[in-house]
Short mmCIF file of all heavy atoms in Angstrom, two decimals:
data_model
loop_
_atom_site.label_atom_id
_atom_site.label_comp_id
_atom_site.label_asym_id
_atom_site.label_seq_id
_atom_site.Cartn_x
_atom_site.Cartn_y
_atom_site.Cartn_z
N SER A 406 0.83 26.96 -77.07
CA SER A 406 1.80 27.65 -77.92
C SER A 406 2.30 28.98 -77.34
O SER A 406 3.17 29.61 -77.99
CB SER A 406 1.19 27.89 -79.31
OG SER A 406 1.38 26.72 -80.09
N ILE A 407 1.81 29.43 -76.20
CA ILE A 407 2.34 30.68 -75.68
C ILE A 407 3.84 30.53 -75.35
O ILE A 407 4.60 31.48 -75.42
CB ILE A 407 1.54 31.25 -74.48
CG1 ILE A 407 1.95 32.65 -74.12
CG2 ILE A 407 1.65 30.34 -73.27
CD1 ILE A 407 1.62 33.70 -75.17
N GLY A 408 4.24 29.31 -75.06
CA GLY A 408 5.68 29.01 -74.80
C GLY A 408 6.56 29.08 -76.04
O GLY A 408 7.76 28.99 -75.94
N GLY A 409 5.94 29.18 -77.21
CA GLY A 409 6.62 29.48 -78.46
C GLY A 409 7.42 28.34 -79.06
O GLY A 409 7.48 28.18 -80.27
N TYR A 410 7.98 27.47 -78.24
CA TYR A 410 8.96 26.47 -78.72
C TYR A 410 8.60 25.12 -78.18
O TYR A 410 9.39 24.20 -78.10
CB TYR A 410 10.33 26.91 -78.19
CG TYR A 410 11.56 26.38 -78.90
CD1 TYR A 410 11.96 26.87 -80.13
CD2 TYR A 410 12.34 25.39 -78.28
CE1 TYR A 410 13.09 26.39 -80.74
CE2 TYR A 410 13.51 24.94 -78.88
CZ TYR A 410 13.89 25.45 -80.14
OH TYR A 410 15.01 25.04 -80.71
N GLY A 411 7.35 24.99 -77.71
CA GLY A 411 6.98 23.79 -77.03
C GLY A 411 7.44 23.72 -75.58
O GLY A 411 7.40 22.65 -74.96
N LEU A 412 7.89 24.84 -75.06
CA LEU A 412 8.31 24.89 -73.65
C LEU A 412 7.12 25.21 -72.76
O LEU A 412 6.28 26.00 -73.12
CB LEU A 412 9.41 25.90 -73.47
CG LEU A 412 10.72 25.57 -74.17
CD1 LEU A 412 11.70 26.78 -74.10
CD2 LEU A 412 11.36 24.35 -73.55
N PRO A 413 7.07 24.59 -71.58
CA PRO A 413 5.88 24.80 -70.72
C PRO A 413 5.77 26.23 -70.21
O PRO A 413 6.69 26.78 -69.62
CB PRO A 413 6.17 23.88 -69.49
CG PRO A 413 7.27 22.96 -69.94
CD PRO A 413 8.04 23.66 -71.01
N LEU A 414 4.60 26.81 -70.46
CA LEU A 414 4.30 28.13 -70.00
C LEU A 414 2.77 28.32 -70.03
O LEU A 414 2.14 27.82 -70.96
CB LEU A 414 4.94 29.21 -70.88
CG LEU A 414 4.70 30.66 -70.51
CD1 LEU A 414 5.31 30.99 -69.16
CD2 LEU A 414 5.26 31.64 -71.57
N ALA A 415 2.23 28.98 -69.02
CA ALA A 415 0.81 29.31 -69.05
C ALA A 415 0.63 30.71 -68.53
O ALA A 415 1.41 31.16 -67.68
CB ALA A 415 0.02 28.29 -68.22
N LEU A 416 -0.40 31.36 -69.03
CA LEU A 416 -0.77 32.67 -68.50
C LEU A 416 -2.28 32.64 -68.18
O LEU A 416 -3.05 31.95 -68.85
CB LEU A 416 -0.55 33.79 -69.54
CG LEU A 416 0.82 33.93 -70.16
CD1 LEU A 416 0.82 35.05 -71.21
CD2 LEU A 416 1.89 34.18 -69.08
N THR A 417 -2.66 33.35 -67.15
CA THR A 417 -4.08 33.61 -66.92
C THR A 417 -4.22 35.12 -67.02
O THR A 417 -3.58 35.85 -66.23
CB THR A 417 -4.49 33.09 -65.52
OG1 THR A 417 -4.09 31.74 -65.41
CG2 THR A 417 -6.01 33.13 -65.37
N LEU A 418 -5.02 35.57 -67.94
CA LEU A 418 -5.21 37.02 -68.14
C LEU A 418 -6.48 37.40 -67.41
O LEU A 418 -7.52 36.77 -67.50
CB LEU A 418 -5.35 37.35 -69.63
CG LEU A 418 -4.23 36.83 -70.54
CD1 LEU A 418 -4.48 37.21 -71.99
CD2 LEU A 418 -2.87 37.33 -70.06
N ILE A 419 -6.38 38.50 -66.64
CA ILE A 419 -7.43 38.90 -65.72
C ILE A 419 -7.78 40.36 -65.99
O ILE A 419 -6.92 41.22 -66.00
CB ILE A 419 -6.92 38.78 -64.25
CG1 ILE A 419 -6.42 37.34 -64.02
CG2 ILE A 419 -7.97 39.16 -63.28
CD1 ILE A 419 -5.61 37.21 -62.70
N LYS A 420 -9.09 40.66 -66.13
CA LYS A 420 -9.49 42.08 -66.17
C LYS A 420 -8.99 42.75 -64.92
O LYS A 420 -9.16 42.20 -63.79
CB LYS A 420 -11.03 42.18 -66.25
CG LYS A 420 -11.59 41.84 -67.61
CD LYS A 420 -12.29 43.08 -68.23
CE LYS A 420 -12.81 42.81 -69.60
NZ LYS A 420 -14.26 42.59 -69.62
N PRO A 421 -8.42 43.95 -65.02
CA PRO A 421 -7.74 44.59 -63.88
C PRO A 421 -8.63 44.65 -62.61
O PRO A 421 -8.15 44.40 -61.52
CB PRO A 421 -7.38 45.98 -64.41
CG PRO A 421 -7.28 45.82 -65.86
CD PRO A 421 -8.26 44.73 -66.28
N GLU A 422 -9.91 44.94 -62.81
CA GLU A 422 -10.79 45.10 -61.63
C GLU A 422 -11.03 43.74 -60.90
O GLU A 422 -11.52 43.71 -59.80
CB GLU A 422 -12.09 45.79 -62.00
CG GLU A 422 -13.01 45.04 -62.97
CD GLU A 422 -12.64 45.30 -64.47
OE1 GLU A 422 -11.50 45.72 -64.76
OE2 GLU A 422 -13.53 45.07 -65.34
N LEU A 423 -10.71 42.65 -61.60
CA LEU A 423 -10.92 41.34 -60.97
C LEU A 423 -9.65 40.80 -60.31
O LEU A 423 -9.64 39.71 -59.76
CB LEU A 423 -11.35 40.33 -62.04
CG LEU A 423 -12.77 40.46 -62.52
CD1 LEU A 423 -12.98 39.51 -63.70
CD2 LEU A 423 -13.76 40.20 -61.41
N ASP A 424 -8.59 41.56 -60.41
CA ASP A 424 -7.31 41.06 -59.86
C ASP A 424 -7.30 41.18 -58.33
O ASP A 424 -6.63 42.03 -57.79
CB ASP A 424 -6.16 41.83 -60.50
CG ASP A 424 -4.83 41.24 -60.16
OD1 ASP A 424 -4.80 40.06 -59.70
OD2 ASP A 424 -3.80 41.92 -60.27
N LEU A 425 -8.07 40.33 -57.70
CA LEU A 425 -8.31 40.44 -56.27
C LEU A 425 -7.47 39.49 -55.45
O LEU A 425 -7.68 39.33 -54.26
CB LEU A 425 -9.82 40.15 -55.99
CG LEU A 425 -10.78 41.07 -56.76
CD1 LEU A 425 -12.21 40.56 -56.65
CD2 LEU A 425 -10.67 42.50 -56.23
N TRP A 426 -6.49 38.85 -56.07
CA TRP A 426 -5.63 37.93 -55.34
C TRP A 426 -4.87 38.64 -54.23
O TRP A 426 -4.45 39.80 -54.40
CB TRP A 426 -4.58 37.30 -56.30
CG TRP A 426 -5.08 36.38 -57.33
CD1 TRP A 426 -5.00 36.61 -58.69
CD2 TRP A 426 -5.62 35.10 -57.18
NE1 TRP A 426 -5.50 35.54 -59.35
CE2 TRP A 426 -5.89 34.57 -58.44
CE3 TRP A 426 -5.88 34.30 -56.07
CZ2 TRP A 426 -6.45 33.30 -58.67
CZ3 TRP A 426 -6.45 33.05 -56.27
CH2 TRP A 426 -6.74 32.57 -57.55
N LEU A 427 -4.66 37.95 -53.12
CA LEU A 427 -3.71 38.44 -52.14
C LEU A 427 -2.34 37.88 -52.56
O LEU A 427 -2.25 36.83 -53.20
CB LEU A 427 -4.04 37.87 -50.75
CG LEU A 427 -5.43 38.23 -50.24
CD1 LEU A 427 -5.71 37.47 -48.94
CD2 LEU A 427 -5.55 39.70 -50.03
N PRO A 428 -1.26 38.60 -52.24
CA PRO A 428 0.06 38.07 -52.63
C PRO A 428 0.25 36.65 -52.13
O PRO A 428 0.03 36.36 -50.95
CB PRO A 428 1.05 39.03 -51.92
CG PRO A 428 0.24 40.30 -51.73
CD PRO A 428 -1.17 39.87 -51.54
N GLY A 429 0.61 35.75 -53.03
CA GLY A 429 0.90 34.35 -52.66
C GLY A 429 -0.35 33.50 -52.42
O GLY A 429 -0.23 32.34 -52.09
N GLU A 430 -1.51 34.06 -52.64
CA GLU A 430 -2.77 33.30 -52.39
C GLU A 430 -2.86 32.14 -53.40
O GLU A 430 -3.51 31.14 -53.13
CB GLU A 430 -3.98 34.23 -52.49
CG GLU A 430 -5.23 33.58 -51.97
CD GLU A 430 -6.45 34.50 -52.03
OE1 GLU A 430 -6.33 35.59 -52.61
OE2 GLU A 430 -7.50 34.09 -51.56
N HIS A 431 -2.31 32.33 -54.60
CA HIS A 431 -2.16 31.21 -55.51
C HIS A 431 -0.68 31.15 -55.81
O HIS A 431 -0.03 32.17 -55.88
CB HIS A 431 -2.97 31.48 -56.79
CG HIS A 431 -3.10 30.26 -57.66
ND1 HIS A 431 -3.95 29.24 -57.34
CD2 HIS A 431 -2.48 29.93 -58.82
CE1 HIS A 431 -3.86 28.31 -58.33
NE2 HIS A 431 -2.97 28.72 -59.20
N ASN A 432 -0.15 29.95 -55.96
CA ASN A 432 1.32 29.82 -55.95
C ASN A 432 1.77 28.67 -56.79
O ASN A 432 0.95 27.98 -57.37
CB ASN A 432 1.73 29.61 -54.47
CG ASN A 432 3.05 30.30 -54.18
OD1 ASN A 432 3.90 30.39 -55.03
ND2 ASN A 432 3.18 30.79 -52.97
N GLY A 433 3.06 28.40 -56.85
CA GLY A 433 3.56 27.29 -57.61
C GLY A 433 5.05 27.47 -57.86
O GLY A 433 5.52 28.57 -58.12
N THR A 434 5.77 26.36 -57.80
CA THR A 434 7.23 26.40 -57.92
C THR A 434 7.71 26.75 -59.32
O THR A 434 8.69 27.44 -59.52
CB THR A 434 7.82 25.04 -57.51
OG1 THR A 434 7.33 24.71 -56.22
CG2 THR A 434 9.35 25.08 -57.50
N PHE A 435 6.97 26.23 -60.32
CA PHE A 435 7.46 26.39 -61.70
C PHE A 435 6.74 27.50 -62.45
O PHE A 435 6.31 27.31 -63.57
CB PHE A 435 7.37 25.05 -62.42
CG PHE A 435 8.45 24.09 -61.99
CD1 PHE A 435 8.14 23.01 -61.17
CD2 PHE A 435 9.76 24.28 -62.35
CE1 PHE A 435 9.11 22.14 -60.74
CE2 PHE A 435 10.77 23.43 -61.92
CZ PHE A 435 10.47 22.35 -61.12
N ARG A 436 6.62 28.67 -61.79
CA ARG A 436 6.01 29.80 -62.47
C ARG A 436 7.07 30.68 -63.10
O ARG A 436 6.73 31.66 -63.73
CB ARG A 436 5.14 30.59 -61.49
CG ARG A 436 3.87 29.83 -61.12
CD ARG A 436 3.14 30.52 -60.02
NE ARG A 436 3.99 30.68 -58.87
CZ ARG A 436 4.10 31.77 -58.13
NH1 ARG A 436 3.35 32.82 -58.39
NH2 ARG A 436 4.91 31.82 -57.10
N GLY A 437 8.30 30.32 -62.96
CA GLY A 437 9.38 31.15 -63.52
C GLY A 437 10.25 30.37 -64.47
O GLY A 437 11.45 30.24 -64.28
N ASN A 438 9.61 29.84 -65.51
CA ASN A 438 10.34 29.06 -66.53
C ASN A 438 10.93 30.03 -67.53
O ASN A 438 10.37 30.34 -68.57
CB ASN A 438 9.40 28.08 -67.18
CG ASN A 438 10.08 27.20 -68.19
OD1 ASN A 438 11.30 27.26 -68.38
ND2 ASN A 438 9.30 26.37 -68.86
N ASN A 439 12.13 30.54 -67.22
CA ASN A 439 12.72 31.63 -67.99
C ASN A 439 13.06 31.24 -69.41
O ASN A 439 13.00 32.08 -70.34
CB ASN A 439 13.98 32.17 -67.31
CG ASN A 439 13.60 33.05 -66.11
OD1 ASN A 439 13.57 34.28 -66.23
ND2 ASN A 439 13.28 32.43 -64.98
N LEU A 440 13.37 29.98 -69.67
CA LEU A 440 13.62 29.55 -71.06
C LEU A 440 12.35 29.78 -71.86
O LEU A 440 12.39 30.21 -73.00
CB LEU A 440 14.07 28.10 -71.12
CG LEU A 440 15.53 27.81 -70.73
CD1 LEU A 440 15.81 26.34 -70.82
CD2 LEU A 440 16.48 28.59 -71.69
N ALA A 441 11.22 29.42 -71.24
CA ALA A 441 9.94 29.64 -71.95
C ALA A 441 9.65 31.13 -72.12
O ALA A 441 9.14 31.52 -73.17
CB ALA A 441 8.80 28.96 -71.16
N PHE A 442 10.07 31.94 -71.17
CA PHE A 442 9.85 33.40 -71.33
C PHE A 442 10.63 33.90 -72.56
O PHE A 442 10.13 34.68 -73.35
CB PHE A 442 10.35 34.18 -70.10
CG PHE A 442 9.59 33.86 -68.81
CD1 PHE A 442 10.18 34.16 -67.60
CD2 PHE A 442 8.32 33.32 -68.83
CE1 PHE A 442 9.50 33.86 -66.38
CE2 PHE A 442 7.64 33.02 -67.66
CZ PHE A 442 8.27 33.29 -66.43
N VAL A 443 11.88 33.41 -72.66
CA VAL A 443 12.75 33.85 -73.77
C VAL A 443 12.13 33.41 -75.10
O VAL A 443 12.01 34.18 -76.07
CB VAL A 443 14.20 33.28 -73.61
CG1 VAL A 443 15.00 33.46 -74.85
CG2 VAL A 443 14.87 33.88 -72.39
N ALA A 444 11.68 32.13 -75.14
CA ALA A 444 11.10 31.63 -76.40
C ALA A 444 9.80 32.36 -76.72
O ALA A 444 9.53 32.72 -77.86
CB ALA A 444 10.87 30.11 -76.24
N ALA A 445 8.98 32.55 -75.69
CA ALA A 445 7.69 33.23 -75.88
C ALA A 445 7.89 34.64 -76.45
O ALA A 445 7.20 35.06 -77.40
CB ALA A 445 6.90 33.29 -74.58
N THR A 446 8.83 35.36 -75.87
CA THR A 446 9.11 36.76 -76.31
C THR A 446 9.48 36.74 -77.77
O THR A 446 8.95 37.54 -78.56
CB THR A 446 10.25 37.36 -75.44
OG1 THR A 446 9.86 37.26 -74.08
CG2 THR A 446 10.47 38.79 -75.86
N GLU A 447 10.37 35.84 -78.16
CA GLU A 447 10.78 35.81 -79.57
C GLU A 447 9.61 35.40 -80.48
O GLU A 447 9.44 35.94 -81.55
CB GLU A 447 11.98 34.85 -79.73
CG GLU A 447 12.55 34.77 -81.15
CD GLU A 447 13.12 36.10 -81.67
OE1 GLU A 447 13.45 36.98 -80.81
OE2 GLU A 447 13.23 36.24 -82.90
#
Side-chain angles (χ1 to χ4, degrees):
S406 277
I407 191 65
Y410 201 75
L412 293 172
L414 180 64
L416 306 178
T417 309
L418 307 180
I419 304 167
K420 284 243 177 102
E422 63 274 22
L423 287 173
D424 188 17
L425 302 169
W426 292 115
L427 302 173
E430 192 179 6
H431 192 75
N432 216 325
T434 306
F435 286 106
R436 289 172 303 137
N438 183 3
N439 285 262
L440 282 179
F442 298 159
V443 169
T446 303
E447 182 63 19

